[in-house]
Amino acid sequence: MSNEEKIRQLEAEVDRLKQSEKVLMHDLEIYKQIFKHLSEQFEELKRSFNRR
Amino acid sequence: MRGKQIVLLLVFILMIPLSYAITINPLEYTISKPELGKEYSIIITLINPESTLTTVSAAIDSSSEYLVPYVTIDAADGIVLEPNDKKNIKLTLSLPDELSPEKHELVVNFVSANLKMGSFRLSFVIEGKENMGLELAGMDVESQTPNNPVYLNFNLKNTGNVIVRPEPSIIIYRGESVVDSFGQESSIMIMPGQDYNLTLLYDTAKITEPGMYKAEAKFHFGGNETATLTQEFELKASLQKSSNGNEIREISPGEELMLDLDLKDPAQKLSFYKIFYSIEGTGINNFLEGELRDDNNQLEIRVDTTGLKQGDYLLNLEIHSGINLENVENKAIELKVRPKKSLLLIAIIASAAIITLLGYFSRKSIAGMFSGAWAGHTLKRAGAASSLPGIEKDIISIKKSFGQMEHEINRLGSEISSFISRSNAWSRQNLGEECFR
């Protein structure tokens, strides 16, 4: 494989990693929101339990 | 004026706290005679000796993750410590009715702003006769092309009554020679009586040559080791594809082309094949037929390319296979006949030497012309490499971003773990043990 081809391959790999990074960031943000929502629901559950 | 700025900067730097630290007291505690089914509470004091406010979270270390269902830590998340403040944290360990007879260690990490501030270790020994056993029950290697990793699948069985922390030891052979070894470190934990399917990803960076290899694997555990299993695997040459999807093969003049064909849907016992091939514009064509037995769908054929001169050719294949030759596949391979790189290099060096010598003897500028040509070539190479710093910069930035993401994932993991502990504690307290049954 020539140097040019190797560089092209590296560039493609870097692009792929950038895409993965975006996807993972997005997923992590969703997980954070789900967890936040769950924590809030749990607090709400505790509050309603204490009211009873 | 500049001196004043430097003094101000120094004052500012001196005002920045050099480290964020908390004191954990005690750092470790041992339950001397633990009884199964009983509850133990320990008070851990966190002291903030710094002049800045610190928020600390408690999270159970992955090495003692199996103890998470039995542990509750009060206010595990978001412990706020004012400057020079201290807080008591209550840790409760509810020992289950059954636990392996060995020394257990619960490690609780205190984390602030993604940094581990320190750990508390709680240890206890469950009395009983220890029997450590691990069986490597199976091994399977999924071989792929050299540009892709190889997957090594293992089936491990904990045959004893204590937790096993196996460490893989894998050696890759080509023939009798060792080409690579790896896998000495691991954080795998197998609970007593449990099966564990482990998949290791092996980067074939050290074995770029296609061919047959052998993986030899065993696992070390507590001073013992499992039996050794070996399995052969094949690395196939990676297929180069052209822009229109055709496979590209490169051969040198006078070389015969060897083709590995995967035939479609062969019958279980016996199937037949008929292959027609032709190389466009050369008059080379042939017809092969035969039979395949025992579910074997791999066929190696030789195409007589020895008479081809340097250039590009198109090889067309029509493959019929099956009991009644019912499966038909058409395939085109772009054939590039090129001198071997090493031969090309020798030819260039030889030409260079001849031109230089000619230049020297004729005292003309031929050698200078060659130097110019060589310099041009070098410049072209340098131009091709000029995008490398950009790639390196991108990789550094990606690495940084992934590192940050790893911290965030760890933090979220710790938060989830402490949330589970807190919710379990609350449920136990308010709903009773019944809700866990």
Side-chain angles (χ1 to χ4, degrees), chain B residues 40-180:
Chain B
Y40 297 87
S41 292
I42 295 108
I43 301 293
I44 308 162
T45 308
L46 301 180
I47 305 162
N48 177 17
E50 302 290 339
S51 53
T52 45
L53 184 138
T54 309
T55 307
V56 184
S57 297
I60 294 169
D61 194 85
S62 58
S63 63
S64 38
E65 210 172 85
Y66 67 101
L67 293 169
V68 166
Y70 320 123
V71 179
T72 53
I73 305 168
D74 287 355
D77 201 19
I79 307 156
V80 181
L81 289 163
E82 301 281 335
N84 302 309
D85 182 19
K86 67 173 182 179
K87 281 233 165 92
N88 289 335
I89 310 295
K90 188 180 166 193
L91 183 149
T92 310
L93 173 70
S94 311
L95 284 180
D97 296 333
E98 275 185 35
L99 205 59
S100 51
E102 60 188 308
K103 185 183 176 185
H104 296 269
E105 191 176 58
L106 169 71
V107 182
V108 180
N109 296 323
F110 291 96
V111 185
S112 178
N114 293 333
L115 282 174
K116 195 165 103 175
M117 314 298 279
S119 302
F120 166 74
R121 288 166 191 273
L122 173 66
S123 55
F124 56 96
V125 177
I126 301 293
E127 296 294 336
K129 198 181 173 200
E130 283 187 36
N131 169 27
M132 190 180 271
L134 181 71
E135 188 193 337
L136 175 56
M139 174 181 174
D140 174 49
V141 184
E142 291 174 41
S143 52
Q144 292 187 343
T145 58
N147 297 334
N148 289 311
V150 166
Y151 292 91
L152 298 131
N153 303 314
F154 302 100
N155 178 241
L156 294 156
K157 287 179 195 295
N158 183 342
T159 53
N161 65 350
V162 291
I163 299 165
V164 175
R165 292 174 171 84
E167 290 180 351
S169 167
I170 290 136
I171 303 172
I172 308 290
Y173 290 92
R174 182 164 204 193
E176 295 303 310
S177 321
V178 174
V179 288
D180 202 2

Side-chain angles (χ1 to χ4, degrees), chain A residues 1-5 7-11 14-15 17-18 20-21 24-25 28-29 31-32 35 38-39 42-43 45-47 49-50, chain B residues 77 147 240 341 380-381 384-388 391 394-395 397-398 401-402 405 408-409 412 415-416 419 422-424 426-427 430-431:
Chain A
M1 194 189 289
S2 69
N3 281 351
E4 282 83 353
E5 277 173 321
I7 289 170
R8 270 201 298 277
Q9 212 173 42
L10 258 178
E11 279 169 346
V14 165
D15 278 341
L17 279 170
K18 280 182 184 169
S20 304
E21 186 193 343
L24 279 170
M25 288 276 244
L28 182 62
E29 216 39 58
Y31 291 139
K32 276 184 186 172
F35 178 62
L38 269 176
S39 305
F42 181 64
E43 290 305 319
L45 183 82
K46 278 203 291 190
R47 273 195 295 274
F49 186 85
N50 289 337
Chain B
D77 201 19
N147 297 334
Q240 280 183 287
K341 275 178 189 161
K380 205 175 162 194
R381 281 170 63 92
S386 64
S387 57
L388 272 178
I391 296 175
D394 279 349
I395 292 172
S397 145
I398 291 168
S401 171
F402 271 94
M405 214 169 349
E408 288 204 41
I409 291 168
L412 184 64
E415 280 178 11
I416 292 171
F419 171 74
R422 274 186 292 123
S423 60
N424 280 352
W426 183 86
S427 308
N430 295 290
L431 308 170

Side-chain angles (χ1 to χ4, degrees), chain B residues 258-413:
Chain B
M258 307 290 283
L259 277 181
D260 283 318
L261 299 175
D262 283 326
L263 298 186
K264 271 187 183 173
D265 304 317
Q268 285 295 313
K269 287 183 180 172
L270 180 69
S271 45
F272 303 94
Y273 66 85
K274 266 188 185 181
I275 298 163
F276 304 90
Y277 72 77
S278 63
I279 300 176
E280 280 180 16
T282 63
I284 297 175
N285 57 68
N286 206 350
F287 160 66
L288 302 161
E289 63 181 332
E291 58 184 50
L292 291 162
R293 286 179 182 272
D294 303 325
D295 201 16
N296 179 19
N297 61 346
Q298 296 265 319
L299 183 70
E300 189 185 69
I301 64 163
R302 290 160 183 266
V303 179
D304 186 13
T305 48
T306 50
L308 291 179
K309 288 180 182 167
Q310 196 176 318
D312 294 348
Y313 302 90
L314 190 69
L315 166 67
N316 291 308
L317 290 140
E318 191 181 308
I319 306 159
H320 298 252
S321 63
I323 295 177
N324 301 310
L325 298 168
E326 66 277 18
N327 303 308
V328 184
E329 190 189 0
N330 288 300
K331 199 172 175 177
I333 295 173
E334 290 179 26
L335 198 59
K336 292 179 186 296
V337 182
R338 302 274 188 275
K340 282 268 183 217
K341 275 178 189 161
S342 55
L343 290 174
L344 190 69
L345 195 66
I346 290 166
I348 290 170
I349 292 167
S351 318
I354 292 163
I355 294 167
T356 312
L357 282 172
L358 278 173
Y360 177 77
F361 285 116
S362 64
R363 294 182 183 277
K364 285 183 180 172
S365 61
I366 300 172
M369 278 162 63
F370 173 71
S371 306
W374 183 251
H377 175 67
T378 317
L379 278 173
K380 205 175 162 194
R381 281 170 63 92
S386 64
S387 57
L388 272 178
I391 296 175
E392 194 186 1
K393 206 175 151 192
D394 279 349
I395 292 172
I396 291 168
S397 145
I398 291 168
K399 197 181 163 195
K400 205 172 154 188
S401 171
F402 271 94
Q404 206 176 345
M405 214 169 349
E406 191 187 353
H407 274 304
E408 288 204 41
I409 291 168
N410 286 342
R411 193 180 174 183
L412 184 64

